[in-house]
Amino acid sequence: MQIIRKNTRQIAVGNVAIGGGAPIAVQSMTNTDTRDVEATVAQVKRLEDVGCEIIRVAVLDMAAAAAIRAIRERISIPLIADIHFDSRLAVAAMEHGAQGIRINPGNIGGLEKLARVVDAAKVHNVSIRVGVNSGSVEKDILARHGHPVPAALVESALRNIALLEKMGFAEIKVSIKSSDALTTIDAYRQLAAQADYPLHLGVTEAGGLIAGTVKSSVALGILLSEGIGDTIRISLTRDPVEEIRVAYELLRALHIRQRGPELISCPTCGRCQVDLFSLAEKVEQHVQTIETPLKIAVMGCVVNGPGEAREADLGVAGGHGVGIIFKKGEVFKKVPEGELLEVFIAELDKMAAGDGS
Ligand code: SF4
C-alpha cells in the first residue's frame, strides 16, 4: 500500500518546512514553567535527543514571553509560542523570537487586536497555527450544531482562516482537535477537503501512555494513511519524551518515516528461559538516542527466535541460560545470559556507528 499525501501549501516554522511534500514533522510541547529557562531548556534538549523537530511552549504572561529569547539561544529546534486570549502576549512572544505562534484568532480579543498579531507575524516572519478544539468553537456555531461535532469544528476553523486571509496572511497551518478519535478523523477529513493549508494533527487530552497512544494511533494513523496531515503531536499525560517515541513508532508503522532502530520483540511464552522483559526493555531504552535505521530482534527462544532474529540486522534468541546473537542472518556468538545485554549493546553500537563487520 502506498500513501499518497494530499497536496498542501508549504509554510515554515523556523527552518522546518511544513506541508507541500515536506517530511511530516514531529513536535511536542514542554510541560515546564516557561519562565523557568533552565528547566525548559533541559526538557527541550531531552526532546531534541529523541528526534523532536519543533517545540511549543505555553506563554501565560509577559515573563514567559520574555523567557523565549533565552530559551531559543540554547536550543536547536524552532519554537512555537502557545497563546490564549491575550494578543499582547502573542506580539511579545514574536518580538522575543518565537518562530511560530498557536492561537485561536476568534478569541484573541477582536479584529483590531488580531490585526496587531498578524502585523507582528508579518514583520517577524512567523507562521500562525489556527488551533481550534472542541472547547473553543464559537458560541453561534455551537448553537447551530448543538455540540462540537466535526462540522462545527471545521466551520470554526474556516472562519478563523478567513479572518487571517482577509488580513493578507497565509502562513497558516491548522489543527482541529477533539478528545474523541472518531470526531478528530471526521473533522480533519472534512477540513482537508475544503482547505489546502498544512494540517497539524493531534488528539487533544488523549490520556495516559496506553490510552493516549491507542487513541492517537487510531485517529492519526487513519488520517495519515489517507495522506492527511503535515505535522503531528501525540498528546500524552506523560513525560513529553514519550510523545516523540510514540510519534516515530506511528510514522514507522505507516512506513512514512524511520528514525532509529526498529525493535521486534516477542511477547514470551512458556518456552522462554531468559529474562526477556528486562533485556528487551533495556535494549529499547538504549536505542532511543540511536538515529541509524536498523532492524533489531529480541526473541525469547530458538523456536521462532532464530527466524525473526535472522531477518534482523542484529538479533538475539534466548536459550537455557544463554543467548544466541545473530548478525545479518548469521549466528555470531553464543553468550551466557549474564553477559548478554552488554555484548548485544556493544554490537548494536558498533552497527549504529556504521561498523557492521
Ligand atoms: S519466540 Fe519463543 S519464547 Fe517468544 S513467544 Fe515465540 S515461542 Fe515463545
Side-chain angles (χ1 to χ4, degrees), residues 265-274 276 298-306 308 316-318:
S265 58
C266 84
T268 77
C269 70
R271 292 184 193 89
C272 181
Q273 296 181 67
V274 291
L276 195 80
V298 179
M299 308 302 290
C301 80
V302 290
V303 173
N304 294 324
E308 289 288 351
V316 60

Side-chain angles (χ1 to χ4, degrees), residues 178-186 203 215-216 218-219:
S178 157
S179 58
D180 178 73
L182 296 183
T183 302
T184 302
I185 294 166
D186 201 357
V203 176
K215 208 188 256 192
S216 299
V218 168

